[in-house]
Amino acid sequence: MKTTTLVVLAAAMVAISSCKKDENNTSNPSNNASKKELLTAKKWKATGLTLGGTDFWPQIEDCDKDNINTFKTDGVYIEDEGATKCDPSDPQIITTSTWVFIENDTKLVYDGDTAKINELSTSKMVLQMDFLGSSAIATFAAQ
């Protein structure tokens, strides 16, 4: 992950290195949305990060907190700097990569990282990854 997205690892790396910037709830109005539909229907912004049970979100720079993650239906993943860049000379698009579900849609692989999907709904996504031997949990809000 690069910053707040891939999100969990990016944000965790940012916090740790001081750098810059199974319970599935598949409810939606029709109650029949697939995980792919839930993931790709909206853009996602990280709203929280814990590492080994410690809240790292306050340590993440504001310029990283506004990054936007997009999962397109064709398997393309994009992480955008959002409204605020940590370095004005940085490109607006941080990462363009791929995403795919694995293990019966219980895990999400994006930008080379694998995350367990703890929750995915129309408004919230919670991903869990291993980061340097600790459990990193990133929370995202749909935009």
Side-chain angles (χ1 to χ4, degrees):
M1 180 162 179
K2 310 281 182 282
T3 57
T4 42
T5 8
L6 220 175
V7 103
V8 173
L9 291 182
M13 287 194 234
V14 170
I16 291 174
S17 66
S18 298
C19 294
K20 68 175 233 147
K21 92 165 218 173
D22 194 29
E23 182 179 296
N24 296 321
N25 176 2
T26 56
S27 63
N28 78 346
S30 70
N31 291 326
N32 292 320
S34 69
K35 285 189 179 177
K36 181 177 182 178
E37 290 168 329
L38 292 169
L39 184 67
T40 60
K42 297 182 180 177
K43 296 178 181 189
W44 298 91
K45 183 169 33 170
T47 58
L49 175 68
T50 62
L51 183 59
T54 301
D55 184 7
F56 272 88
W57 192 244
Q59 297 176 39
I60 305 297
E61 293 184 54
D62 289 342
C63 58
D64 286 320
K65 288 180 178 179
D66 72 347
N67 292 1
I68 301 294
N69 303 280
T70 303
F71 298 86
K72 295 187 168 199
T73 58
D74 63 358
V76 172
Y77 164 76
I78 299 169
E79 182 179 7
D80 185 285
E81 280 277 7
T84 308
K85 293 182 182 181
C86 293
D87 183 339
S89 66
D90 285 344
Q92 187 65 37
I93 302 298
I94 298 168
T95 301
T96 299
S97 187
T98 59
W99 72 269
V100 65
F101 288 119
I102 61 171
E103 297 185 22
N104 294 317
D105 295 350
T106 62
K107 293 185 179 180
L108 173 65
V109 179
Y110 66 111
D111 197 27
D113 294 311
T114 301
K116 178 183 175 204
I117 302 167
N118 288 351
E119 181 178 342
L120 180 57
S121 71
T122 58
S123 61
K124 183 178 180 181
M125 176 169 59
V126 179
L127 301 178
Q128 181 177 351
M129 297 183 193
D130 179 62
F131 183 72
L132 300 176
S134 292
S135 177
I137 298 176
T139 304
F140 299 84
Q143 302 298 295

